């Protein structure tokens, strides 16, 4: 049964907000002297594969294989070697990742290794060399290709599937895609799963064996390539070991001085209440003990942006060569791009070698920061926990300020998997002998809780499969309802329940008894589509259902209804993009400018016509318990302005959207427009308009990331 990790909801002792604040002075506990002596660059040795790497290569040549090993231990090397063996036999490889940034990174890495002509990339935004021997793409693209293969009856032209970051199987939003891939994948194609944080690999392997009828080997490795040493920075500036050094076999516990601090009634603070700690002083201390570069994990975007303003130029001024190299590299990266050249954080970056990194930034600016960090030109990167997953930006140290994180609904304690993803960035293979996880005291840092996380195993992965309209449409495209029931019996959720691994009220509430919940949910979706003439009474797709199945988007029925009721602009690309932008918007607005005098009349009329026309259909969805997005005009207005060449900076300044959020709105609008563009056989006019709309909105600085 999955263990819960949670903290009292922001109910920490008031004594933690205490009074006395002193200037930080560098210091370290005596026992750390021998630890700091280990800091340095390892000697260059001839690469010798680890036993687990060789075992994995041998296993995947015979059957499926699931590899669990710490971040940086060489899982990608396994993928490289296996891919090489496949293409030597004239076979094809599909390498799937959960993130576009990771896909871009792996594509660049494999292109250098195998040659650009042998490597393609598919992310929705990019489609290059799709018939190459090795294709790197996002999991959604791979799942869609499996849908197409099932519909046409053709085999997926592939001889190996690699699923990187396989723990995404348990992701609440994306896990369903991973599970679908594993269920639909032809048995003949070997499956290689790679992850650092799966607590139940043998359970997943047993499930795969039950649905694929072949052995799934589990290869485990628990040794970090670069040892991790946890530290605690006292508010005075003194560094202590976070944990006691105990004899083998003894349960680790907080260092006695750290324990005393954690449980004191009145203890000093590292900063004023409600304010960030003095990062300039902290960086000085880390530099003094050669603990830089460091990634600081903060709880919010605003804190990341504020943190760089608390740094100073003292460290960089001591190293004029690095300062010059940093300035030159920044100039190269922003050359020819005025949006990046004039970025508001550029001066902080050049003067302090510190950067902020989070989803609120323009994608292209994040690439600049990532490139500088990977090149060893930054001393500090202040990031939200999203940078911990997937993309490789290691540092000598990782600094953790909070023992909880906001999950979108409430603050919950970090799970062991999340903590390991964060600390996995500490210690650069080939560049560090040792890495450090440094814990700072603060109002929302529970040291006793972190002590439990240090050696806790990753959490078990649970099934996140859910039924949605796009899934039902695409399955009915190639299967009868009875055949779909057999597919759902293959779900990980059904396996867990039928094998007795998932018990209790939560399991019954989410999944019923075995297959019951999934099947009933499927029938509910199908019945609604029967009522709305997308599906026949016999369970086959109508003509409308067939073309609607091509809309592999979040709200396929709503968009399909808008198309068949002629509620979308047929010949105006900008207005079409505007309405689609309202469909994909994720923000809620209390002051939507629908009745503003400044609102363009054409936009207002089209928007109100679409919303009014869709209202009866949306009500039906809601009455049946399905989601129907609220349609706001603000995102439509922003896309309208962008499509009509209003300056990017002006649009961002005048909106409630951060740059990264606006870029994501536009990119998601582009994804939806691509799906509409596929309808050229049944709706040639609007399909052509959708293609034209893409050219209006996918331009600098949005497309810079992909150039």
């Amino acid at each position: 049964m999955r263990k819960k990790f949670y903290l009292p909801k922001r109910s920490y002792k008031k004594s933690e907000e205490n009074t006395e604040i002193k200037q930080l002075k560098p210091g370290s506990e005596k026992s750390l002297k021998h630890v700091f002596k280990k800091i340095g660059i390892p000697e260059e040795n001839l690469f010798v594969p680890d036993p687990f790497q060789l075992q994995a290569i041998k296993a995947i040549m015979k059957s499926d294989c699931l590899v669990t090993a710490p971040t940086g231990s060489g899982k990608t090397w396994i993928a490289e070697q296996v891919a090489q063996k496949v293409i030597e036999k004239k076979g094809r490889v599909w390498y799937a990742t959960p993130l576009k940034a990771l896909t871009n990174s792996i594509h660049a890495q494999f292109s250098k290794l195998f040659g650009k002509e042998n490597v393609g990339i598919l992310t929705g935004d990019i489609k290059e060399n799709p018939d190459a021997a090795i294709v790197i793409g996002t999991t959604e693209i791979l799942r869609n290709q499996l849908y197409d293969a099932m519909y046409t009856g053709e085999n997926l032209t592939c001889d190996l599937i690699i699923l990187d970051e396989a723990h995404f199987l348990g992701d609440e939003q994306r896990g369903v895609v991973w599970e679908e891939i594993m269920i639909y994948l032809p048995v003949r194609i070997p499956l290689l799963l790679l992850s650092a944080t799966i607590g139940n690999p043998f359970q997943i392997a047993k499930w795969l064996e039950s649905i694929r009828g072949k052995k799934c080997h589990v290869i485990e490795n628990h040794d970090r390539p670069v040892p991790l040493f946890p530290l605690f920075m006292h508010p005075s500036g003194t560094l202590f070991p976070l944990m006691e050094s105990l004899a083998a076999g003894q349960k680790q516990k907080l260092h006695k001085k750290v324990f005393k601090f954690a449980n004191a009634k009145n203890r000093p603070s590292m900063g004023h209440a409600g304010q960030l700690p003095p990062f300039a002083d902290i960086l000085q201390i880390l530099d003094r003990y050669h603990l830089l570069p460091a990634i600081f994990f903060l709880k919010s975007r605003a804190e990341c942006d504020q943190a760089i303003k608390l740094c100073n130029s003292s460290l960089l001024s001591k190293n004029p060569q690095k300062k010059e190299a940093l300035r030159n590299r920044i100039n190269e990266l922003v050359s020819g791009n005025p949006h990046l050249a004039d970025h508001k954080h550029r001066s902080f970056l050049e003067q302090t070698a510190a950067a902020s990194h989070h989803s609120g930034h323009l994608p292209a600016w994040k690439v600049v920061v990532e490139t500088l960090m990977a090149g060893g030109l930054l001393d500090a990167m202040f990031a939200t926990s999203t940078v911990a997953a997937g993309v490789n930006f290691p540092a000598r140290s990782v600094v953790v300020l909070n023992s909880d994180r906001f999950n979108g609904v409430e603050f919950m304690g970090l799970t062991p998997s999340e903590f390991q993803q964060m600390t996995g960035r500490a210690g650069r293979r080939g560049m560090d002998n040792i890495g450090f996880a440094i814990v700072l005291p603060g109002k929302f840092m529970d040291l006793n809780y972190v002590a439990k996380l240090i050696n806790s195993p990753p959490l078990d992965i649970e099934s996140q499969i859910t039924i949605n309209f796009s899934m039902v449409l695409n399955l009915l495209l190639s299967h009868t309802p009875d055949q779909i029931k057999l597919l759902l019996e293959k779900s990980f959720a059904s396996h867990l329940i039928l094998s007795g691994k998932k018990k209790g009220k939560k399991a019954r509430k989410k999944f019923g008894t075995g297959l019951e919940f999934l099947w009933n949910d499927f029938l509910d979706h199908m019945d609604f589509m029967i009522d709305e003439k997308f599906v026949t009474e016999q369970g086959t797709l109508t003509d409308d259902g067939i073309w609607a199945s091509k809309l592999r988007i979040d709200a396929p029925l709503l968009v399909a209804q808008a198309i068949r009721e002629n509620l979308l602009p047929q010949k105006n690309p900008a207005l079409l993009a505007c309405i689609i932008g309202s469909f994909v918007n994720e923000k809620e607005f209390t002051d939507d400018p629908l009745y503003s005098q400044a609102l363009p009349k054409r936009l207002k009329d089209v928007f109100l016509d679409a919303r009014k026309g869709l209202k009866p259909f949306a009500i039906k969805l809601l009455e049946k318990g399905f989601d129907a997005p609220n349609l706001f005009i603000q995102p439509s207005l922003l896309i309208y302005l962008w499509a009509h060449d209003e300056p990017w900076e002006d649009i961002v300044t005048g909106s409630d959207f951060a740059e990264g959020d606006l870029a994501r709105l536009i990119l998601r609008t582009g994804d939806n427009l691509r799906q509409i563009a596929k309808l050229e056989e049944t709706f040639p006019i609007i399909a052509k308009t959708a293609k034209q709309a893409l050219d209006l909105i996918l331009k600098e600085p949005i497309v810079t990331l992909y150039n």
Side-chain angles (χ1 to χ4, degrees), residues 43 139 191 272 313 395 438 444 528 538 639 676:
E43 294 182 6
T139 45
L191 180 61
H272 293 283
S313 60
I438 304 168
F444 303 119
F528 183 86
Q538 293 72 39
I639 291 180
I676 295 174

Side-chain angles (χ1 to χ4, degrees), residues 529-601:
M529 290 194 290
I530 290 173
D531 291 342
E532 298 304 319
K533 311 303 182 187
F534 289 103
V535 177
T536 69
E537 293 285 349
Q538 293 72 39
T540 60
L541 296 184
T542 63
D543 289 343
D544 282 351
I546 291 173
W547 62 257
S549 69
K550 297 180 182 180
L551 299 173
R552 290 161 185 167
I553 54 182
D554 291 337
L557 289 196
L558 204 64
V559 174
Q561 181 70 5
I563 290 173
R564 67 180 181 180
E565 294 292 328
N566 199 24
L567 298 173
L568 297 179
Q570 294 288 309
K571 298 182 179 180
N572 190 309
L575 289 177
L576 177 60
C578 294
I579 303 305
I580 297 302
S582 183
F583 287 148
V584 305
N585 167 64
E586 298 172 329
K587 290 173 68 74
E588 292 284 330
F589 300 95
T590 56
D591 56 345
D592 204 35
L594 183 57
Y595 298 103
S596 168
Q597 294 295 321
L599 194 66
K601 186 177 185 305

Side-chain angles (χ1 to χ4, degrees), residues 569-573 576 684-694:
Q570 294 288 309
K571 298 182 179 180
N572 190 309
L576 177 60
I685 296 176
I686 198 169
K688 180 180 178 181
T689 303
K691 292 178 182 178
Q692 295 169 339
L694 286 167

Side-chain angles (χ1 to χ4, degrees), residues 41 59 81 152 246 255 281 293 319 347 384 394 405 464 474 477 517 651 662 674 688:
I41 301 173
Q81 300 305 305
T152 61
L246 301 175
H255 185 276
D281 293 346
N319 192 338
S347 61
T384 53
R405 66 183 287 267
Q464 301 296 334
N474 279 277
L477 195 61
F517 176 86
I651 297 174
L662 181 55
R674 287 189 191 91
K688 180 180 178 181

Side-chain angles (χ1 to χ4, degrees), residues 306-378:
Q306 181 63 26
I308 59 174
K309 299 175 184 177
L310 300 179
C311 302
N312 58 42
S313 60
S314 58
L315 291 184
L316 204 53
S317 63
K318 293 189 297 185
N319 192 338
Q321 288 183 325
K322 180 176 179 178
K323 185 175 183 178
E324 183 66 19
L326 175 62
R327 182 181 291 111
N328 290 339
R329 188 68 176 117
I330 292 172
N331 285 335
E332 291 174 8
L333 293 170
V334 304
S335 176
N337 189 320
H339 300 282
L340 301 183
D342 297 329
H343 196 279
K344 60 184 178 181
H345 285 181
R346 180 177 179 177
S347 61
F348 295 107
L349 192 59
E350 290 183 340
Q351 294 168 18
T352 67
S356 169
H357 185 290
H358 55 71
S359 58
H361 285 308
L362 197 65
W365 180 254
K366 289 197 293 183
V367 171
V368 171
V369 171
E370 292 160 4
T371 304
L372 295 172
M373 190 69 183
L377 292 171
L378 298 186

Side-chain angles (χ1 to χ4, degrees), residues 224-292:
R224 284 177 54 105
V226 180
L228 179 71
F229 193 90
L231 295 171
F232 171 70
M233 183 180 288
H234 189 273
S236 65
T238 301
L239 293 167
F240 291 94
L242 181 67
M243 312 297 288
E244 289 280 11
S245 297
L246 301 175
Q250 286 186 293
K251 187 177 181 180
Q252 276 200 306
K253 58 183 180 180
L254 284 175
H255 185 276
K256 58 184 179 181
K257 292 184 179 178
V258 180
F259 179 82
K260 182 179 179 180
F261 174 87
N263 295 280
K265 288 185 178 180
N266 293 294
R267 53 182 184 260
S269 175
M270 191 171 267
H272 293 283
Q275 295 183 3
L276 291 173
F279 286 120
D281 293 346
I282 292 170
L283 288 173
Q284 289 284 356
I285 295 170
L286 298 186
D287 181 61
R288 167 77 174 269
Y289 295 102
H290 308 291
L291 298 173
L292 296 177

